[in-house]
Amino acid sequence: MSTVRLLVLGSILRRGVSHGYAVLRDMTTWRVDTWTNVKPGSIYHALDKLESQGMIEAAASGAGAKLGPSRKEYSVTKQGKAEFFRLLEAALVSPDILQFSAGVAFMEWLPRNEVIALLEQRRSVLDASLRLLKSLPVDERPSEPSRHPELVGIWIGYVESEAASTERILANVQAGRYDFKSERLEAE
Amino acid sequence: MSTVRLLVLGSILRRGVSHGYAVLRDMTTWRVDTWTNVKPGSIYHALDKLESQGMIEAAASGAGAKLGPSRKEYSVTKQGKAEFFRLLEAALVSPDILQFSAGVAFMEWLPRNEVIALLEQRRSVLDASLRLLKSLPVDERPSEPSRHPELVGIWIGYVESEAASTERILANVQAGRYDFKSERLEAE
DNA sequence: TGTCATCTAGTCAAATTTGAATAGAAAATG
DNA sequence: CATTTTCTATTCAAATTTGACTAGATGACA
């Protein structure tokens, strides 16, 4: 759920004012559907919930030239922006690839230094998890699934791959790559 | 959901006759909770559903020495066993690491040859997905998340790691490792 | 022998996700 | 210009998951 919330808040933030269908379109054009499953229902549910929590609010309906059925436009409140950053920070530390992906999608909204710190933290979470997995006893002829070498191997492979991705991104961010919001010279 | 169904059916099958709490214990001792989230509610829900679909049935209650509150014992029906194999085959081909893990946990229930064929199929599914990911255009300064090199990189890393796991397991299974049910000389 | 902790077993409301359906407006077609 | 298709936008019931709670036995120990 927190992944959907992050994506929805991020999508609205980028556009300033937005509505459910536009969020849905973003998810499709961003190919988020490759890695997460964001069906219409989830998005509209997230919007309702975020609104009821005061994270977003119905936008001053001035409304830009619409062409179709009527829509509900929202903008992110101060509270919602805080929630966005909370979720973003959590995502960048999460060992879960889905959550992490959503975090990476919006990492440029945070200051570069903070991203570096979060990625280092993720790396150490993954390292700990790797140590645990490698300490697990396995049997060639396992009496239970938990001792199956291939099952443990799958998860070691996954965690190692996540660790490598984290390392790679960390290096690129440290090398000054990417266009972080806080470093951008706004024209105007 | 199909992951939970597969795990529940597999757990009951191994024990012959079983009940919700025992399934829950299996999930814990198998450390399935490391990779899936199988809360009590999901298991009992799956049991109810499986029963209503005729996949499992309340076992002849003769009931082995119980020591605690009363329980509902189930055994897997012929239909349920067919469902188990259907889910198992699907799991071994699935690119999803959670589903696949559940499949590997029970792969010895299938004949070795079939497992080999399924793993080869998974490998080709992953290869196709890798080709697609590698063909995606990326931008150093991406206008949208879908063109973010790191986002694409994360998923390439994941799929490559899954492909490597599949390859490794395939090699070991082909090399004659593991104790497949159909090759077992039953004593008796 | 009472009561406190722990293990066994399961239930339930609330939250969330899924999948399919609904419906208005514009564009295409004959 | 009537009709069908397509695009915009959302709704809703049903399925599933979550998280917290209920409750019966057994054992420990004072």
Side-chain angles (χ1 to χ4, degrees):
Chain A
M1 214 263 132
S2 56
T3 303
V4 180
R5 277 170 83 89
L6 176 56
L7 290 168
V8 169
L9 284 171
S11 167
I12 301 176
L13 271 174
R14 288 178 98 244
R15 295 175 176 275
V17 169
S18 193
H19 56 100
Y21 190 64
V23 173
L24 188 61
R25 300 293 303 277
D26 275 354
M27 299 304 118
T28 314
T29 66
W30 297 354
R31 297 180 175 273
V32 169
D33 53 318
T34 325
W35 37 282
T36 322
N37 28 11
V38 278
K39 314 284 168 64
S42 307
I43 290 173
Y44 287 98
H45 168 71
L47 286 170
D48 287 348
K49 181 108 197 268
L50 285 166
E51 188 181 19
S52 80
Q53 292 176 325
M55 301 297 182
I56 59 179
E57 60 192 0
S61 64
K66 31 167 288 180
L67 18 69
S70 71
R71 32 163 106 150
K72 280 182 202 158
E73 312 244 21
Y74 299 100
S75 62
V76 177
T77 63
K78 187 176 297 190
Q79 251 201 92
K81 202 159 176 183
E83 171 77 350
F84 171 75
F85 285 112
R86 258 197 305 283
L87 292 170
L88 182 49
E89 284 159 21
L92 285 171
V93 163
S94 168
D96 182 90
I97 190 172
L98 294 175
Q99 250 188 286
F100 182 64
S101 295
V104 170
F106 296 113
M107 68 176 178
E108 279 109 324
W109 286 71
L110 289 171
R112 188 181 295 270
N113 287 336
E114 206 186 326
V115 171
I116 290 172
L118 291 166
L119 291 175
E120 282 168 346
Q121 203 183 324
R122 182 176 201 239
R123 186 179 51 186
S124 73
V125 168
L126 290 168
D127 282 349
S129 156
L130 200 54
R131 274 195 298 280
L132 185 138
L133 283 168
K134 286 188 169 166
S135 76
L136 250 39
V138 293
D139 278 334
E140 196 65 8
R141 197 151 296 209
S143 52
E144 306 173 354
S146 69
R147 306 176 68 88
H148 201 301
E150 302 298 4
L151 214 35
V152 175
I154 290 168
W155 288 92
I156 288 178
Y158 169 75
V159 175
E160 277 174 346
S161 141
E162 285 310 294
S165 288
T166 309
E167 204 63 62
R168 184 170 10 87
I169 300 173
L170 188 53
N172 285 331
V173 171
Q174 276 171 332
R177 227 167 289 217
Y178 308 120
D179 189 23
F180 285 78
K181 271 227 151 195
S182 60
E183 296 164 2
R184 226 171 268 167
L185 300 184
E186 303 289 352
E188 87 199 301
Chain B
M1 213 260 134
S2 57
T3 304
V4 179
R5 277 170 86 87
L6 176 56
L7 289 168
V8 168
L9 285 170
S11 166
I12 300 177
L13 271 175
R14 290 178 97 246
R15 295 175 176 274
V17 169
S18 194
H19 56 100
Y21 191 61
V23 173
L24 187 61
R25 300 294 303 276
D26 275 355
M27 299 303 118
T28 316
T29 67
W30 297 355
R31 296 179 175 276
V32 170
D33 53 318
T34 325
W35 37 282
T36 324
N37 28 9
V38 277
K39 313 285 168 64
S42 307
I43 290 174
Y44 287 99
H45 169 71
L47 285 170
D48 288 348
K49 182 107 196 270
L50 285 167
E51 189 182 19
S52 80
Q53 292 177 323
M55 302 297 181
I56 58 179
E57 61 192 0
S61 64
K66 31 168 289 179
L67 17 69
S70 70
R71 32 162 106 150
K72 280 183 204 156
E73 311 245 19
Y74 299 100
S75 62
V76 178
T77 63
K78 187 176 296 190
Q79 250 201 92
K81 202 158 177 182
E83 170 78 351
F84 171 74
F85 285 112
R86 256 196 307 283
L87 292 170
L88 182 48
E89 283 158 22
L92 284 171
V93 165
S94 168
D96 181 272
I97 190 172
L98 294 177
Q99 251 188 284
F100 182 63
S101 295
V104 170
F106 296 112
M107 68 176 179
E108 280 109 323
W109 286 71
L110 289 171
R112 189 182 295 272
N113 287 337
E114 208 187 324
V115 170
I116 290 171
L118 292 166
L119 291 175
E120 282 168 346
Q121 204 184 323
R122 182 176 202 240
R123 187 180 48 186
S124 75
V125 168
L126 290 169
D127 283 348
S129 157
L130 200 53
R131 273 195 299 282
L132 185 138
L133 283 168
K134 285 187 169 165
S135 77
L136 250 38
V138 294
D139 277 333
E140 195 66 7
R141 197 151 296 209
S143 52
E144 306 174 353
S146 70
R147 307 177 68 89
H148 201 302
E150 303 298 5
L151 215 34
V152 175
I154 290 169
W155 288 92
I156 289 179
Y158 170 76
V159 175
E160 278 175 345
S161 140
E162 286 309 294
S165 289
T166 309
E167 206 62 64
R168 184 168 12 85
I169 300 174
L170 188 53
N172 285 330
V173 171
Q174 277 171 331
R177 227 167 289 216
Y178 307 121
D179 188 24
F180 284 79
K181 271 228 151 196
S182 60
E183 296 165 2
R184 226 171 268 168
L185 300 183
E186 301 290 351
E188 85 198 303

